Amino acid sequence: MSQAPKRVPMYIQLKNYILDQMNKGIWKPGDKLPSENELAEQFQVSRITVKNAMADIVKQGLIYRIQGRGSYIADGASEQWITYEQQETGGGSLVAFLMPRLNNLFTANLMAGIEEELSHHGYHLVFRLTHDSQPLENKILKELTGLGVKGIIIYPVEGETFNEEILKLTLNHFPLVIVDRYLRGLDTNSVSSDNYTGAYEATMHLTRLGHTKISFISTAVAGTTSIEDRLHGYERALSDSGLYIDYRLRLSLNAASPVEQIKTYLADNPDVQAIVATNATIGQMAKKAADFLKIRVPEQLSIVCFDNSEQSDLFEVPLTFMNQNEKAMGKESAKLVLSLIQDPTQDRRNVVLPNTLVIRSSTASAAGPASIPASASGIEAQ
């Protein structure tokens, strides 16, 4: 049995990054280096880690420090042979995960699945937030490849349709996996849930309860394939149920006061009987807006959302939700990136995982409380 690779200490990774910037001429003799606080924030490490990395380079005479002013590249640094710390301690064990935000149960479970699978195979996770900024996403991708990570899993920023850095990495057969969605026009490896079928089943659940005015509430649709596919699944379910596709029943939220937007929408469209929300946060916002307007859930308004909320079983009305099994999604993305590390030139793969509808108390018959058989295929009752 092969021995699992050992972890490269973070200070060595940081040291190699600094040396790489010097070797490439990005930082030249006389240039002032970023402060310890700036480097610590950039790489999400402690100042002690930064100090250790800098101390090694100071000993080599490649940089010098001026008390109260900072660290600078030594004048003779470009004339010296700058060598990286050898990776025998296991630099190949690092896999990076980029995510727009880490603010809900879905993203937490997704990362947990990735970390669990990587650690099982002796790999270590480097996690970075992109804050839904494509320029920051590109910057981090460049930094991580410079640090020598062996693979990258990326949850793209919302609305992203194309990314030049991802294209470059893909064309160079760098082990990279897109998770949660895919990018149209880019032939990349990806792992996602079956968003189309999930939205189809969520909508069909509502039509079977007798609802005919079913709203679709999401963030901006264009450019985010997971939301686009959910919209198409919703529309197909309406069509298959003999219902007219009414664009008035679609609400695309922006970042400014989304609860207020839903309040206004429901007040202006009192015939809405049910809502398909594209995530748990929107589902909870719809419930809050309904409460404000004294619309009773589920007696007057049924709500289905994608994903669960933390401690949702303690809510007054737990929402019916489409379970994407995000931890399994994380595990599959980790398995795929590890496979690509072993064979970067293998055929591209798009892994699609099934969803399960979990019925709770936020959905009911248009004529009254629902009585739904728990034995229906692909459905769980709670």
Side-chain angles (χ1 to χ4, degrees):
M1 186 173 73
S2 61
Q3 186 177 4
K6 298 177 182 178
R7 183 188 180 197
V8 178
M10 192 63 205
Y11 83 92
I12 292 179
Q13 299 175 50
L14 182 54
K15 174 184 172 182
N16 286 342
Y17 169 78
I18 295 171
L19 295 176
D20 186 66
Q21 301 297 294
M22 295 166 66
N23 274 335
K24 291 178 178 176
I26 297 172
W27 292 343
K28 299 178 176 63
D31 284 353
K32 183 180 179 181
L33 296 176
S35 69
E36 290 179 358
N37 283 337
E38 289 171 338
L39 288 170
E41 182 176 354
Q42 180 179 347
F43 292 96
Q44 299 294 297
V45 297
S46 67
R47 284 190 63 188
I48 294 176
T49 298
V50 178
K51 285 180 181 292
N52 288 338
M54 300 283 276
D56 279 359
I57 306 175
V58 169
K59 288 179 183 178
Q60 295 179 43
L62 300 172
I63 63 175
Y64 62 96
R65 289 171 170 156
I66 300 178
Q67 186 68 32
R69 293 179 58 186
S71 300
Y72 296 79
I73 306 294
D75 289 338
S78 61
E79 301 170 5
Q80 299 185 44
W81 181 256
I82 302 175
T83 58
Y84 299 109
E85 186 87 18
Q86 293 299 310
Q87 299 293 312
E88 295 174 358
T89 53
S93 67
L94 297 173
V95 171
F97 177 41
L98 279 66
M99 178 182 281
R101 69 201 78 81
L102 183 61
N103 61 348
N104 54 45
L105 190 60
F106 175 86
T107 53
N109 285 339
L110 181 64
M111 186 165 72
I114 292 172
E115 196 280 331
E116 185 175 315
E117 188 66 26
L118 290 178
S119 63
H120 179 71
H121 292 276
Y123 283 77
H124 301 272
L125 182 66
V126 177
F127 174 63
R128 295 292 303 275
L129 286 171
T130 60
H131 301 288
D132 257 324
S133 164
Q134 188 168 341
L136 178 58
E137 182 181 81
N138 288 338
K139 179 174 180 287
I140 293 172
L141 283 171
K142 292 176 182 177
E143 291 171 352
L144 290 170
T145 51
L147 283 172
V149 298
K150 292 301 181 183
I152 294 175
I153 300 169
I154 180 167
Y155 186 133
V157 303
E158 191 163 287
E160 184 169 76
T161 56
F162 181 81
N163 184 302
E164 187 175 349
E165 287 303 315
I166 291 177
L167 176 60
K168 288 178 182 177
L169 292 171
T170 300
L171 292 176
N172 289 327
H173 296 290
F174 184 89
L176 183 143
V177 174
I178 305 293
V179 68
D180 180 69
R181 62 194 69 164
Y182 53 93
L183 300 181
R184 298 193 194 280
L186 286 182
D187 185 18
T188 57
N189 294 284
S190 67
V191 177
S192 64
S193 72
D194 191 343
N195 290 292
Y196 176 90
T197 302
Y200 180 90
E201 290 299 331
T203 308
M204 289 299 291
H205 169 62
L206 295 171
T207 64
R208 292 185 191 110
L209 292 172
H211 298 293
T212 58
K213 298 295 183 181
I214 303 170
S215 178
F216 182 87
I217 303 182
S218 68
T219 52
V221 175
T224 302
T225 54
S226 56
I227 301 178
E228 290 175 349
D229 289 347
R230 290 172 191 176
L231 175 59
H232 295 153
Y234 155 83
E235 291 179 337
R236 181 56 186 267
L238 293 180
S239 178
D240 286 355
S241 300
L243 298 176
Y244 175 66
I245 297 175
D246 185 352
Y247 293 102
R248 174 182 62 88
L249 296 175
R250 285 167 46 179
L251 175 62
S252 180
L253 302 171
N254 56 47
S257 305
V259 175
E260 292 300 320
Q261 294 173 56
I262 299 174
K263 282 183 192 176
T264 301
Y265 173 79
L266 291 177
D268 290 344
N269 297 275
D271 58 333
V272 170
Q273 300 169 304
I275 290 171
V276 175
T278 54
N279 61 49
T281 300
I282 293 175
Q284 289 299 329
M285 290 191 294
K287 173 64 168 61
K288 184 175 181 179
D291 289 345
F292 178 85
L293 296 171
K294 301 190 184 313
I295 299 172
R296 298 190 308 279
V297 176
E299 293 85 356
Q300 296 173 292
L301 179 70
S302 288
I303 301 175
V304 181
C305 64
F306 271 75
D307 309 321
N308 196 13
S309 298
E310 189 174 3
Q311 296 184 324
S312 59
D313 55 325
L314 301 179
F315 295 172
E316 179 186 359
V317 180
L319 298 185
T320 294
F321 72 99
M322 188 58 68
N323 182 11
Q324 298 189 82
N325 199 351
E326 54 272 16
K327 190 170 183 181
M329 195 188 304
K331 283 178 173 288
E332 288 300 320
S333 63
K335 288 178 183 177
L336 182 51
V337 81
L338 292 176
S339 175
L340 291 167
I341 290 172
Q342 297 301 315
D343 180 12
T345 62
Q346 64 182 273
D347 291 341
R348 302 270 159 73
R349 293 161 57 190
N350 301 111
V351 180
V352 179
L353 303 178
N355 303 291
T356 304
L357 181 64
V358 180
I359 298 175
R360 298 193 296 194
S361 55
S362 68
T363 55
S365 168
S371 178
I372 308 298
S375 60
S377 176
I379 295 180
E380 296 178 0
Q382 285 191 359

